[in-house]
Amino acid sequence: MNLAAIVFLPFLGAIAPLLMGGRSRVHSTLAAGIVTSICIGLLLSLTPAVLAGDIPSYLNSWLPSLGLNLAFRLDGLSLLFAGLILFIGLLVIIYAHYYLSSKDSAPRFFACLLLFMGSMLGIVTSDNLLLMWFFWELTSISSFLLIGYWFHQSNARRGARMALAITGAGGLALLAGILLIGNIAGSYQLDAVFAAADTIRNHDLYLPALILILLGAFTKSAQFPFQFWLPHAMAAPTPVSAYLHSATMVKAGIFLIARLLPVLGGTPEWYTIVTLTGLATLLFGAYFALLKTDLKGLLAFSTISHLGLITMLLGLGSTGAVIAALFHILNHATFKAGLFMIAGIIDHETGTRDMRKLSGLRHALPFTMVLAVITSAAMAGIPLFNGFLSKEMFFAEAYQQDLFGGLSWFVPVLATLGAMLSVAYSIRFVHEVFFQEVADDLPKTPHEPPFMMRFPVIVFATLCILVGVAPMLLASGILDVAVRAVTFATPTLDIAIWHGFNMPLLMSGMAVIGGIVIYISRAELLTFSRQFDSHDAKDVFASIVSATTRFCDNLMQRFENGSLQRYVAFLLVFTLVVVAPELMAIVQLQGSRPMLPVDAISLVGAIVLMLAALSTAMLHRQRLTSLMMLSVVGLIVSLSFVHFSAPDLAMTQLVVEVVSIILMILALFFMPQRIPRASSGRRVARDVLLAGTVGGIVGTLNYALLTRPLESISDFFLANSVSGGGGTNVVNVILVDFRGFDTLGEITVLAIAAAGIHKLLNNLRPFMPSSDVDGRPWHRVKHPLLVQTIAQAILPLALMVSVYIFLRGHNLPGGGFIAGLVTAAAMILQYIANGVDWVKSRFDYNYQKLISIGVMIAMFTGVGSWFFDHNFLTSSFTHVHWPLIGEFELATAILFDLGVYLTVIGATLMILANFGQMTTRHRPRQEGY
């Protein structure tokens, strides 16, 4: 349970800073820090078990039919990433307290940060691929909120949209890849997927699954050619950048590659795609980092480069490469978080991040300069710092690989070139900011920040030194279990500063010397880069979005011209194309099921139904007559249900028909009285041909199905209705018990639709004709006495029938839906007969509140089953003996049905009553009008 708490506590804790909105920033910081500290404590309590080789886990069946379980695991890989997420997250919270200005909303910032933290923890601890994808998408949403935190800035809004679009698209590709893997493995649980690794690699769908998974990982971790979104995410506050680059977001794609390496790795496709993508990203990021003039831009491209380095190592896939990759994840997290915080300090104290304006800060910020030198040296891979150790391991793996035969030599050569560029931009970060002449035109007079703002950087700088000097003491334990989680083998760790004179050491020396040379001669490199056209990724992305939008608009204008006939024609033609070839392939149309004899009642009903349907279409210019014919169709359908022993459906159809006809009569009042010109003969002939063809095909399909024996699930419901649901009315038991979740979704949609219609009617001023089409004015008596008398007599009878139908619905035809419609129809009759004023003086109730109460009753009925250790919406029933009444059944399903009943009443009345009030002074209005 501690494992699940680690994941969900940040989500719950995100509410705490918001509750502190009216208090000082200290309270929001403390709330976020306490939540994170508790998670760290829970993680530390599980750490000894993980280091001992155990894998703590948590499993709760969520949607087992879909293979989606609430399952978490804490193996070595998860522990490494979860530790980074939480420890760095805590230091970022401390740093952000001092970084944010008084104008920034600290509660909103920390709430989004905790949401982001929880999403990342969900990714790295998920034991189910679908659950991992769920949290994966949450990181895209939460990072969108963080990158766009300063939403008043255009760059922040554009950067956030770009990040969401790219990572969101990658998430869709990832989902498709996960579905393919789950289909091949037969499960989405990680243990089952790991066990089916050979099956997956040998499957025909392996390559599509691999490409889709890698698309998700590459877009998330800003791998070439999807790297362009990451530099523009720098519009976020610096604490976000430090967290995003060091321990979260971009590391999610790296985690995914490492997690699925045992499943998808070890093939030529894996080696080629992952290794070359990582190598290209390494060089691309390193080159452009050297050209950037923005401090955070330089660090952003350096992150891209280092992520490429890690991706390349995971592409090589050997045990040594995995050790180097995971070790560099640790090292990169420490020095990159520190460097971003240093960039934030410089921006905070000087008012600018432009390196062309910054120089000579060693005098004003001496302590910050020392921290910058330490973390930059770690990034450059200088000996005695942690970055040197993992980069030397990287050189060893690049040198020893032979993946590309006779061309394998280019891998270590390009790796060394990337390392040279890394040294060059690391030197540039320190030299151009802290040395050279003292800048005299800074927006602010710089000075050292408060100690607690520097404290997180001091921690990171100290780790860079300690791990660089004593790696086996500080990192071997976590690396050992993390590597075992990826390779399923026990690694031999030998991380040391000195391994003698060898090729990796030579490559490291060449990198340092070459980096110094490149930095000294950077002017020539800048001159070379100016020969190429400069394109801002935000502008390119915006132009692509605009072009796509224009294309879609043009396409929609060609197809969506407001003609309902055209839309229906497209749909029917598509149906013909799909269904007709399949029907032509059927050799024997009639099945083996015996035909039923045609009785007179069925024949008459069918004839009346066809005539009414034809009349509806042919008399469409006489709208009221056509509507009457349509009501005849509904009535015959209701009688058909009665004839075929489906009273529940018949009652529902009949009441729905009444309500629908009332709605359409109201609509007719506002429609133009003059009927548009009839279609041309050619169009009528086309429509008749199309309709007849589709009707014939649908009839053929029905005939083929109905004459064949069908295996239905109805036998299960008939057998379990009483024992499982406590009711003899199978239809009602299905609605409130077996398929209660579906019903809950349906009434929720009904509630949303009613609210939407109500909103659309706000301040609507439709044309209200004063006479009919022939000029006859409406009668001055709006509410005839006869109609009033009948309506008032019907109301108590209808309510009594409604209650009776509701109470008996679990065992006899009826239920909450039918009863709700009967009540709503009776109330609508009062509006029609007596007017709005009369009804409001006697029943002035807020229908929106009634809908909300109904949905909440249904929801809490389902939640209540959890308190008795049962699944959501599990019903219970018992029989009690009441005096004078006798034995009586009590079922919790009646509470759920009550929610349905209230929702149907509220939704129906809110739609019809508000629609009818459009002709009165009670028309719906927005607040404030």
Side-chain angles (χ1 to χ4, degrees):
M1 193 63 185
N2 284 351
L3 183 54
I6 292 173
V7 176
F8 290 115
L9 191 58
F11 291 103
L12 297 175
I15 302 173
L18 296 176
L19 297 178
M20 305 291 178
R23 304 190 179 189
S24 67
R25 180 183 303 173
V26 175
H27 292 88
S28 298
T29 306
L30 282 176
I34 290 172
V35 170
T36 307
S37 299
I38 294 173
C39 291
I40 291 174
L42 294 173
L43 184 68
L44 290 176
S45 69
L46 298 173
T47 299
V50 179
L51 295 179
D54 296 334
I55 302 179
S57 61
Y58 172 83
L59 175 63
N60 186 9
S61 295
W62 186 10
L63 296 173
S65 59
L66 298 179
L68 179 56
N69 297 316
L70 199 62
F72 299 102
R73 63 187 281 145
L74 190 68
D75 56 14
L77 185 65
S78 300
L79 178 64
L80 179 130
F81 276 89
L84 290 176
I85 294 166
L86 289 172
F87 282 102
I88 295 179
L90 181 59
L91 293 174
V92 166
I93 289 171
I94 297 172
Y95 177 82
H97 174 75
Y98 296 93
Y99 177 86
L100 296 176
S101 72
S102 58
K103 298 179 181 179
D104 296 325
S105 172
R108 179 165 62 89
F109 177 85
F110 288 120
C112 293
L113 191 71
L114 289 175
L115 178 63
F116 190 38
M117 181 187 295
S119 303
M120 279 300 304
L121 289 171
I123 289 177
V124 301
T125 58
S126 291
D127 196 19
N128 183 285
L129 290 178
L130 287 177
L131 184 65
M132 181 192 297
W133 178 82
F134 174 77
F135 287 111
W136 184 279
E137 291 303 282
L138 280 181
T139 60
S140 295
I141 296 172
S142 53
S143 65
F144 170 80
L145 297 175
L146 285 171
I147 296 170
Y149 173 76
W150 285 328
F151 54 83
H152 57 280
Q153 297 180 3
S154 174
N155 284 342
R157 297 194 302 271
R158 296 173 67 185
R161 286 197 299 267
M162 184 188 300
L164 181 63
I166 301 303
T167 59
L172 295 177
L174 174 62
L175 176 61
I178 288 174
L179 293 177
L180 290 179
I181 290 178
N183 182 57
I184 299 169
S187 174
Y188 297 103
Q189 292 296 114
L190 283 181
D191 287 335
V193 173
F194 290 150
D198 291 334
T199 303
I200 294 173
R201 283 191 290 265
N202 295 322
H203 200 276
D204 292 338
L205 295 176
Y206 165 74
L207 185 57
L210 173 65
I211 292 174
L212 290 169
I213 293 291
L214 291 180
L215 278 175
F218 290 166
T219 52
K220 203 75 159 184
S221 288
Q223 296 298 289
F224 184 84
F226 307 106
Q227 78 293 329
F228 56 86
W229 70 266
L230 185 57
H232 297 282
M234 295 303 96
T238 299
V240 174
S241 302
Y243 199 36
L244 188 147
H245 283 253
S246 61
T248 59
M249 189 63 169
V250 293
K251 294 290 175 66
I254 298 296
F255 170 82
L256 179 66
I257 295 174
R259 175 60 84 197
L260 294 182
L261 189 151
V263 180
L264 301 175
T267 64
E269 295 87 352
W270 172 275
Y271 293 139
T272 303
I273 297 174
V274 180
T275 303
L276 293 182
T277 299
L279 184 59
T281 307
L282 164 66
L283 294 170
F284 183 93
Y287 175 77
F288 282 97
L290 190 59
L291 303 178
K292 292 300 169 182
T293 57
D294 177 29
L295 276 177
K296 287 176 66 175
L298 183 152
L299 295 177
F301 276 98
S302 74
T303 296
I304 293 172
S305 179
H306 283 269
L307 292 173
L309 183 154
I310 299 170
T311 300
M312 176 183 161
L313 286 170
L314 293 174
L316 296 176
S318 64
T319 301
V322 172
I323 296 173
L326 297 182
F327 190 33
H328 197 70
I329 288 172
L330 278 173
N331 295 334
H332 177 262
T334 55
F335 64 68
K336 189 52 63 71
L339 284 167
F340 265 106
M341 290 181 178
I342 290 169
I345 289 173
I346 295 171
D347 185 21
H348 190 269
E349 299 304 324
T350 65
T352 182
R353 300 196 312 256
D354 192 339
M355 298 175 67
R356 292 168 297 187
K357 299 178 181 179
L358 295 168
S359 62
L361 292 181
R362 66 187 182 278
H363 301 291
L365 303 171
F367 199 86
T368 303
M369 181 199 71
V370 174
L371 297 176
V373 170
I374 294 172
T375 49
S376 296
M379 180 168 65
I382 303 301
L384 300 182
F385 297 98
N386 58 355
F388 167 75
L389 299 173
S390 53
K391 191 164 286 188
E392 193 171 62
M393 296 167 67
F394 163 67
F395 286 143
E397 294 302 319
Y399 178 71
Q400 293 170 7
Q401 58 77 37
D402 57 352
L403 300 178
F404 304 102
L407 294 177
S408 297
W409 59 267
F410 77 86
V411 175
V413 170
L414 295 179
T416 305
L417 176 59
M420 291 178 182
L421 294 170
S422 176
V423 172
Y425 62 67
S426 299
I427 296 174
R428 181 167 178 249
F429 182 88
V430 174
H431 185 258
E432 293 190 6
V433 173
F434 294 98
F435 295 92
Q436 298 180 342
E437 296 180 359
V438 177
D440 55 1
D441 58 345
L442 295 175
K444 297 165 63 176
T445 302
H447 56 80
E448 287 287 2
F451 172 78
M452 288 305 295
M453 189 175 184
R454 290 177 299 178
F455 173 74
V457 189
I458 295 172
V459 173
F460 292 128
T462 303
L463 287 174
C464 289
I465 297 173
L466 293 180
V467 175
V469 175
M472 293 298 291
L473 177 64
L474 297 176
S476 60
I478 184 64
L479 280 179
D480 180 74
V481 292
V483 173
R484 273 188 281 166
V486 176
T487 63
F488 298 143
T490 302
T492 301
L493 295 179
D494 183 21
I495 306 174
I497 301 174
W498 179 254
H499 286 284
F501 291 100
N502 53 23
M503 184 56 69
L505 181 62
L506 176 62
M507 295 167 70
S508 296
M510 293 173 60
V512 173
I513 297 172
I516 295 172
V517 172
I518 291 175
Y519 178 70
I520 294 173
S521 57
R522 64 189 182 281
E524 288 76 8
L525 190 63
L526 292 172
T527 302
F528 173 76
S529 65
R530 293 192 189 101
Q531 301 178 39
F532 303 96
D533 294 334
S534 177
H535 298 285
D536 190 331
K538 288 197 298 291
D539 295 334
V540 174
F541 179 78
S543 64
I544 293 174
V545 171
S546 299
T548 305
T549 304
R550 287 194 301 271
F551 172 78
C552 293
D553 286 341
N554 293 334
L555 190 64
M556 293 299 292
Q557 289 173 6
R558 291 179 62 89
F559 290 99
E560 189 175 345
N561 63 347
S563 171
L564 182 61
Q565 283 182 318
R566 172 176 287 193
Y567 304 155
V568 175
F570 284 147
L571 180 62
L572 296 181
V573 169
F574 179 77
T575 304
L576 287 175
V577 172
V578 173
V579 176
E582 299 298 325
L583 287 177
M584 293 174 64
I586 298 178
V587 178
Q588 180 67 33
L589 183 62
Q590 181 175 341
S592 58
R593 190 175 180 180
M595 304 286 289
L596 296 176
V598 178
D599 58 279
I601 296 178
S602 300
L603 183 60
V604 172
I607 293 174
V608 173
L609 182 66
M610 289 187 291
L611 290 177
L614 287 172
S615 300
T616 301
M618 296 177 65
L619 301 175
H620 69 278
R621 296 177 64 83
Q622 304 174 32
R623 288 173 172 168
L624 185 59
T625 305
S626 178
L627 188 58
M628 293 174 60
M629 292 297 101
L630 186 61
S631 67
V632 173
V633 173
L635 177 61
I636 297 300
V637 172
S638 301
L639 294 176
S640 300
F641 289 142
V642 174
H643 183 59
F644 291 107
S645 304
D648 276 280
L649 296 178
M651 295 170 64
T652 304
Q653 172 67 27
L654 188 60
V655 183
V656 168
E657 197 66 33
V658 171
V659 174
S660 300
I661 292 299
I662 293 174
L663 176 63
M664 285 186 279
I665 288 177
L666 288 172
L668 283 181
F669 178 78
F670 297 107
M671 293 179 67
Q673 296 189 12
R674 298 292 178 183
I675 307 300
R677 180 177 58 86
S679 301
S680 62
R682 179 179 299 176
R683 174 169 291 186
V684 171
R686 181 205 66 183
D687 294 343
V688 169
L689 177 63
L690 183 59
T693 304
V694 173
I697 287 181
V698 172
T700 304
L701 184 61
N702 282 331
Y703 181 78
L705 289 175
L706 294 175
T707 57
R708 284 169 168 76
L710 299 174
E711 293 186 4
S712 173
I713 198 175
S714 59
D715 293 336
F716 168 82
F717 293 129
L718 291 170
N720 293 277
S721 177
V722 176
S723 60
T728 56
N729 181 6
V730 181
V731 174
N732 184 261
V733 173
I734 291 174
L735 292 176
V736 301
D737 192 319
F738 293 126
R739 303 301 294 270
F741 197 78
D742 290 349
T743 305
L744 178 62
E746 289 164 2
I747 64 172
T748 303
V749 171
L750 179 63
I752 295 172
I757 292 173
H758 175 71
K759 191 68 175 177
L760 290 173
L761 295 177
N762 284 342
N763 286 322
L764 186 64
R765 297 289 188 274
F767 170 73
M768 292 181 290
S770 59
S771 62
D772 64 8
V773 67
D774 296 322
R776 293 187 293 264
W778 307 124
H779 199 281
R780 60 184 178 84
V781 179
K782 296 183 179 180
H783 309 295
L785 179 62
L786 180 61
V787 178
Q788 289 179 328
T789 304
I790 294 175
Q792 294 179 29
I794 287 178
L795 180 60
L797 294 175
L799 294 179
M800 182 177 64
V801 170
S802 173
V803 173
Y804 174 68
I805 290 175
F806 172 76
L807 292 176
R808 79 173 206 160
H810 208 51
N811 291 288
L812 293 170
F817 187 81
I818 301 172
L821 287 174
V822 170
T823 301
M827 290 300 301
I828 289 298
L829 182 59
Q830 304 310 309
Y831 278 102
I832 295 174
N834 300 288
V836 177
D837 291 318
W838 186 91
V839 175
K840 281 187 172 292
S841 65
R842 291 161 176 80
F843 184 76
D844 190 10
Y845 195 78
N846 188 330
Y847 297 132
Q848 298 180 47
K849 185 181 297 184
L850 188 64
I851 293 173
S852 301
I853 292 173
V855 174
M856 294 305 293
I857 289 176
M859 173 69 73
F860 285 122
T861 303
V863 172
S865 59
W866 287 346
F867 292 96
F868 299 93
D869 199 25
H870 288 287
N871 292 330
F872 183 70
L873 277 176
T874 301
S875 64
S876 179
F877 60 91
T878 186
H879 292 80
V880 296
H881 186 82
W882 287 6
L884 302 178
I885 297 178
E887 187 174 295
F888 194 85
E889 181 187 28
L890 290 177
T892 58
I894 197 170
L895 294 175
F896 182 83
D897 222 8
L898 177 62
V900 175
Y901 175 75
L902 296 178
T903 305
V904 169
I905 293 175
T908 306
L909 289 179
M910 189 160 75
I911 295 172
L912 293 181
N914 285 328
F915 203 174
Q917 291 173 19
M918 297 298 296
T919 61
T920 72
R921 63 185 177 87
H922 299 282
R923 61 169 57 118
R925 299 175 183 271
Q926 293 181 354
E927 295 183 4
Y929 288 84

